[in-house]
Amino acid sequence: MAKNLMVQGTMSNAGKSIVTAGILRVLKQDGYRVAPFKSQNMALNSYITKDGLEMGRAQVMQAEAAGIDPCVQMNPILLKPTSDVGSQVIVNGVPLKNMPAKEYFKYKKKLIPDILSAYETLDRQYDVIVLEGAGSPAEINLKQDDIVNMGMALVDAPVLLVGDIDRGGVFAQLAGTLMLLEEEERRRVKGLVMNKFRGDKKILEPGLDQLYDICHVPTIGVIPYTRLDIEEEDSLAESLLQTALPDEMDMRLDIAVIRLPHISNFTDLDALARLDGVRVRYADRAEQIQTPDLLILPGTKNTIDDLKWLRRTGLESPILNCARKGIPVLGICGGYQMLGNEIDDSCGAETGEVVPGLGLLPVKTVFSLEKHRTRVKGRICAQSGIWGSVSGCECTGYEIHMGESRICEENAQGFIQLTNQSDLSTRADGCVRENVAGTYLHGIFDEVGFCGRLIETLCRQKGRNSAVSGQMSFWEYKQREYDKLADVIRENMDMEYLYRVMGLA
């Protein structure tokens, strides 16, 4: 049986996912076979595994840090919000149904056998499993039906409790959380971690002593606020706050991304944001769009609602103006569906309506109740104009979408020729018309060939040079960041104590 450790937090975005990834990386470097586990994740950023199953991207990031392939057992339950009060419930990588929150709270304990089965699969394969909680374990109105924080005491894991000192009130966060736990739960907490610390640690130390006197739990780590480029998962991600318009002296490429209310898989943009000379910003107001070098409509969990939002907020007009001016416009997944002529949801997958799209691509999308989930490889079809520079480039990624989009003009052409990695069948994906293109392929920017050629072409149009294609691959870049994270964890956390808590030599 594997040794284990659980990382819980005092609140959402306290840093549980990153601390978990850092611990996994340290253990991997020290020679252990390690895996992440989160029984239930709520996120709109998801991933498709090699066997066509859907899971949350936080555990994918953690699997990368652990040096292993992600599998759905690492995240057996994924909730993808469809509204403020409901989510699509995905169990073992397959959609179960959409449920209002009230219905799911009554139902979720029926999923405990699925959770335990997934954990036991990892338990047989790895030396150490590092579990991640969700939100806070002290939500007293939810504790009775908890299956992700102290409810995972079923696997008897020692717990680290992480607080966010950058937001202030970290002593109250930690002490208050412990106070609201049951006595048996408090005994499980073996260490406290203060995350995102800025300043002189000596000034903090008297408070650490007082905190121990109050809680009788040692603070085993004070993690400094560190600039690391590691994937963020949820709507609190700092990257989504990059909204400022470029000034006249900024010579970087300006890539504007529409920040849709139900934006999903915005991790597609990470490979762009890490490049020298590239600036990725998000726009949710018409005046923020201006004249970027590239405009992207990203994925969304609610295509029709978000399309209506574009119109209601006045964003439709500047998007159309960008296309008319010859600015390259790219839609990914739900963004691609919006660029078409029509979206037909007669089946009731979202709203049950038939609505006109933005009309920039000769495409009609018909929704279905079955979700398309697959990993694919592809090659960009022969193109002209701005997209001609990427003709023949290879790309890899995955598809997650409801329904199908068909080109409805004879002279229009697809964007990518795809090969399904499971059955090797081929088909065309997406559509191109002049400077506007759309695709269902998530992760299209991860390949340095496609990404490099496109960025270099845009740079030439702006009258400057770029050497993107000579930079390290996105995979190598991420591995370097995980190693930096491991260094931060080793330097600022009592790893000897942590090893003893886990029962490791």
Side-chain angles (χ1 to χ4, degrees):
M1 293 178 63
K3 304 294 186 182
N4 57 25
L5 176 73
M6 188 169 199
V7 179
Q8 297 184 13
T10 57
M11 65 177 79
S12 295
N13 209 37
K16 298 182 295 293
S17 296
I18 297 296
V19 170
T20 298
I23 293 171
L24 284 163
R25 190 66 166 192
V26 169
L27 292 168
K28 185 256 185 187
Q29 291 175 343
D30 289 351
Y32 292 99
R33 296 173 302 150
V34 291
F37 181 83
K38 187 168 185 174
S39 58
Q40 173 191 285
N41 199 351
M42 176 177 280
L44 285 174
N45 287 344
S46 61
Y47 176 86
I48 299 299
T49 64
K50 289 181 178 178
D51 43 2
L53 300 173
E54 189 173 3
M55 62 182 290
R57 286 202 63 103
Q59 282 60 63
V60 175
M61 176 271 290
Q62 291 163 355
E64 289 177 351
I68 57 176
D69 287 335
C71 65
V72 77
Q73 286 78 20
M74 299 170 185
N75 175 215
I77 303 170
L78 174 62
L79 305 178
K80 301 187 78 171
T82 56
S83 68
D84 291 341
V85 294
S87 298
Q88 183 183 58
V89 180
I90 298 168
V91 180
N92 295 320
V94 179
L96 177 65
K97 61 180 293 191
N98 289 357
M99 290 188 188
K102 189 174 182 180
E103 179 183 352
Y104 178 70
F105 284 130
K106 291 179 180 178
Y107 179 85
K108 65 181 180 178
K109 281 205 167 181
K110 295 180 181 178
L111 298 174
I112 289 176
D114 295 281
I115 293 170
L116 292 179
S117 175
Y119 184 87
E120 288 164 3
T121 298
L122 300 178
D123 197 28
R124 293 190 294 268
Q125 298 175 4
Y126 294 96
D127 300 324
V128 186
I129 300 172
V130 183
L131 300 86
E132 182 188 345
S136 163
E139 304 290 357
I140 55 178
N141 58 316
L142 304 176
K143 283 180 62 176
Q144 182 177 352
D145 297 313
D146 175 45
I147 59 172
V148 65
N149 287 306
M150 289 301 179
M152 277 306 296
L154 293 163
V155 302
D156 194 26
V159 173
L160 290 187
L161 183 62
V162 179
D164 180 358
I165 195 170
D166 190 50
R167 296 189 190 184
V170 72
F171 293 102
Q173 290 176 38
L174 294 166
T177 298
L178 288 169
M179 182 187 74
L180 290 173
L181 297 178
E182 305 295 332
E183 180 59 35
E184 181 181 351
E185 295 170 338
R186 277 195 293 273
R187 286 198 295 267
R188 291 190 172 278
V189 181
K190 303 300 182 183
L192 307 178
V193 177
M194 293 186 179
N195 194 29
K196 308 179 192 177
F197 176 70
R198 307 176 196 241
D200 186 345
K201 188 179 174 181
K202 289 183 180 179
I203 298 174
L204 188 67
E205 286 173 353
L208 301 183
D209 294 336
Q210 293 178 58
L211 184 63
Y212 181 80
D213 291 339
I214 294 167
C215 302
H216 306 293
V217 179
T219 299
I220 68 162
V222 177
I223 311 298
Y225 194 101
T226 308
R227 293 289 181 183
L228 291 171
D229 195 359
I230 291 176
E231 182 176 302
E232 300 175 285
E233 184 183 48
D234 59 28
S235 59
L236 297 174
E238 289 186 12
S239 61
L240 294 178
L241 303 178
Q242 306 300 315
T243 60
L245 291 166
D247 60 45
E248 294 180 359
M249 301 301 294
D250 193 340
M251 289 301 295
R252 292 177 295 174
L253 279 181
D254 178 31
I255 299 178
V257 182
I258 304 298
R259 183 177 175 176
L260 301 165
H262 302 94
I263 188 171
S264 66
N265 287 75
F266 56 83
T267 48
D268 287 341
L269 290 309
D270 287 354
L272 285 175
R274 62 104 180 185
L275 296 174
D276 294 336
V278 173
R279 182 177 185 274
V280 175
R281 60 183 175 87
Y282 288 82
D284 58 9
R285 299 197 308 274
E287 62 270 20
Q288 293 175 323
I289 292 184
Q290 302 288 316
T291 54
D293 299 301
L294 173 64
L295 177 63
I296 297 176
L297 277 70
T300 167
K301 186 67 184 70
N302 293 59
T303 304
I304 292 177
D305 281 348
D306 283 1
L307 179 57
K308 290 179 179 179
W309 172 83
L310 285 179
R311 293 184 166 125
R312 191 169 60 250
T313 56
L315 278 159
E316 179 179 26
S317 179
I319 292 171
L320 297 179
N321 286 337
C322 283
R324 292 190 197 103
K325 292 175 182 176
I327 292 171
V329 178
L330 176 66
I332 302 174
C333 199
Y336 165 41
Q337 294 171 339
M338 291 182 187
L339 291 175
N341 291 333
E342 183 180 272
I343 301 172
D344 184 344
D345 184 34
S346 299
C347 70
E350 290 190 4
T351 65
E353 300 170 88
V354 179
V355 297
L358 298 176
L360 294 175
L361 291 175
V363 167
K364 177 179 179 179
T365 297
V366 179
F367 282 170
S368 68
L369 297 177
E370 184 176 348
K371 181 178 282 192
H372 189 80
R373 313 181 315 271
T374 185
R375 293 198 64 79
V376 291
K377 291 184 177 180
R379 188 179 296 273
I380 305 297
C381 302
Q383 307 290 348
S384 59
I386 185 65
W387 307 108
S389 63
V390 296
S391 297
C393 285
E394 294 184 351
C395 45
T396 60
Y398 53 96
E399 295 180 67
I400 318 170
H401 57 91
M402 312 287 278
E404 188 174 354
S405 299
R406 291 190 179 278
I407 296 173
C408 48
E409 282 184 11
E410 290 185 3
N411 59 350
Q413 82 169 54
F415 190 39
I416 310 173
Q417 188 68 20
L418 291 179
T419 300
N420 190 311
Q421 290 185 251
S422 59
D423 60 14
L424 301 182
S425 60
T426 61
R427 56 189 165 83
D429 165 74
C431 181
V432 178
R433 183 162 67 184
E434 298 176 348
N435 54 306
V436 181
T439 177
Y440 275 118
L441 187 63
H442 291 292
I444 189 170
F445 294 112
D446 290 4
E447 291 292 334
V448 71
F450 172 86
C451 186
R453 282 203 207 171
L454 179 60
I455 295 303
E456 287 173 354
T457 300
L458 295 174
C459 282
R460 283 196 299 271
Q461 287 189 341
K462 199 166 184 175
R464 59 187 298 266
N465 296 322
S466 172
V468 172
S469 57
Q471 295 187 26
M472 69 177 69
S473 72
F474 190 39
W475 175 260
E476 293 171 319
Y477 177 82
K478 289 193 288 185
Q479 295 305 310
R480 185 186 70 178
E481 294 299 298
Y482 295 139
D483 285 336
K484 289 181 183 177
L485 174 60
D487 291 343
V488 172
I489 294 294
R490 286 187 190 276
E491 292 168 10
N492 298 282
M493 191 176 288
D494 188 343
M495 292 305 301
E496 183 178 346
Y497 175 85
L498 200 56
Y499 269 47
R500 289 201 306 272
V501 164
M502 290 187 284
L504 296 172

